[in-house]
């Protein structure tokens, strides 16, 4: 895991984004934000489990599925199984130690 402060995020609503093996964050002080970093670490694990490329494909497909269903970009983002898992567990700093393989699976909406 490599944490990088990225000025490209400056004028966006994005506080952090993970592109394996990097975690890009908006503000330097957020390197110490354990909840944000934990959220992004969960994405790192998801990316590894899906051999990175399949994570991105699944992420985009799931986003568009929810977008066409919900007609709302933010709601579509929040409905993605990867995001649902990360948000549900970001405050549990020990989550990755006990997380099961493909832990995001239980967050898929049926």
């Amino acid at each position: 895991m490599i944490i990088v402060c990225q000025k490209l995020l400056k004028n966006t609503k994005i506080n952090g984004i993970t592109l394996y093996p990097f975690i890009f964050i908006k503000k330097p002080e957020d390197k110490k934000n354990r909840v944000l970093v934990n959220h992004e670490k969960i994405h790192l694990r998801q990316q590894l489990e899906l051999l990175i490329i399949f994570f991105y494909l699944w992420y985009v497909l799931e986003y568009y599925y929810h977008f066409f269903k919900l007609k709302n970009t933010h709601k579509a983002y929040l409905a993605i199984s990867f995001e649902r898992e990360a948000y549900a567990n970001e405050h549990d700093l020990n989550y990755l130690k006990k997380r099961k393989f493909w832990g995001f699976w239980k967050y898929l909406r049926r």
Side-chain angles (χ1 to χ4, degrees):
M1 167 188 74
I2 303 163
I3 301 177
V4 179
C5 188
Q6 185 53 260
K7 291 180 183 177
L8 292 174
L9 300 177
K10 184 177 152 191
N11 295 321
T12 70
K13 293 180 182 179
I14 300 169
N15 290 323
I17 188 168
T18 299
L19 302 169
Y20 189 85
F22 300 99
I23 295 175
F24 297 97
I25 58 169
K26 186 189 294 191
K27 299 180 247 168
E29 59 269 21
D30 278 342
K31 286 183 181 182
K32 294 179 179 140
N33 182 334
R34 295 173 71 190
V35 172
L36 175 62
V37 171
N38 193 48
H39 178 103
E40 299 305 331
K41 282 181 171 181
I42 293 168
H43 289 318
L44 283 173
R45 179 74 56 86
Q46 295 164 340
Q47 291 172 15
L48 278 175
E49 289 173 347
L50 290 168
L51 306 175
I52 302 163
I53 189 67
F54 295 109
F55 169 86
Y56 296 118
L57 290 171
W58 189 326
Y59 193 102
V60 169
L61 289 172
E62 195 173 342
Y63 171 81
Y64 280 109
Y65 168 79
H66 292 298
F67 175 72
F68 288 120
K69 187 176 170 186
L70 301 169
K71 307 287 191 244
N72 181 296
T73 57
H74 187 66
K75 286 181 182 178
Y77 160 76
L78 291 175
I80 298 168
S81 58
F82 303 118
E83 294 300 340
R84 293 179 70 220
E85 179 189 16
Y87 279 114
N89 298 287
E90 66 187 6
H91 291 281
D92 181 354
L93 302 180
N94 293 311
Y95 176 68
L96 288 173
K97 292 177 184 169
K98 60 189 175 194
R99 181 183 180 270
K100 291 187 164 92
F101 187 76
W102 277 35
F104 68 89
W105 193 259
K106 72 178 187 178
Y107 294 92
L108 277 171
R109 291 203 169 144
R110 293 168 179 42

